[in-house]
Amino acid sequence: MRNLTLGTLSALLMTVGVVPAAQAETINSESEAEQAYTQNQRNVRSTAAFDLVSAAYRGRLESEGVPSYYRLQQAYETSQIDAEDLVNRAIAAGELSPAAAEDEGYIEMVRVHLSDLTDKDNH
């Protein structure tokens, strides 16, 4: 009886060990597929235009020569920096996919948010 119980218990433990491993393998495959999908989707829209302008305003792109705070407003108002510049510098900083430079809709939204920055200061 003890051998039967031990054998049953061993078989049960092996089965319990195999099922989670199989489930983990399935989860890993799904996770890899999801990561690949996410990576493909993380292109132009990975950083919303508002978030990009906001990050630049707070100084996150200073290493790429983008001025922060009121200096960003002044640079935009005096045409020293524009939406295309900001997008290209964010690409150089690894904040955006290079595809962003080709997305006119995205660049237009960056332009709108840059304009909003300067308009808020004037109201």
Side-chain angles (χ1 to χ4, degrees):
M1 185 70 164
R2 183 175 244 185
N3 284 342
L4 180 60
T5 304
L6 188 57
T8 304
L9 186 57
S10 295
L12 182 59
L13 288 174
M14 286 180 14
T15 303
V16 170
V18 170
V19 171
Q23 287 175 339
E25 195 170 302
T26 301
I27 290 170
N28 285 341
S29 295
E30 289 173 358
S31 179
E32 289 170 5
E34 187 175 327
Q35 285 175 348
Y37 176 78
T38 301
Q39 186 63 31
N40 288 337
Q41 293 304 309
R42 187 193 148 116
N43 53 23
V44 173
R45 306 287 180 197
S46 66
T47 302
F50 174 82
D51 293 337
L52 175 61
V53 173
S54 179
Y57 183 81
R58 292 187 320 266
R60 188 165 176 183
L61 296 175
E62 284 184 317
S63 66
E64 294 300 323
V66 177
S68 61
Y69 299 104
Y70 74 92
R71 292 184 316 260
L72 176 59
Q73 293 170 316
Q74 289 176 333
Y76 180 70
E77 288 174 338
T78 59
S79 300
Q80 293 173 337
I81 191 165
D82 61 16
E84 290 87 358
D85 292 330
L86 186 57
V87 167
N88 288 327
R89 292 176 189 192
I91 291 168
E95 296 291 325
L96 285 176
S97 165
E102 303 300 320
D103 187 332
E104 287 301 320
Y106 185 79
I107 292 171
E108 180 59 28
M109 289 309 300
V110 170
R111 188 174 294 115
V112 165
H113 292 298
L114 280 169
S115 179
D116 285 349
L117 262 184
T118 57
D119 287 344
K120 287 177 187 172
D121 215 32
N122 295 330
H123 290 291

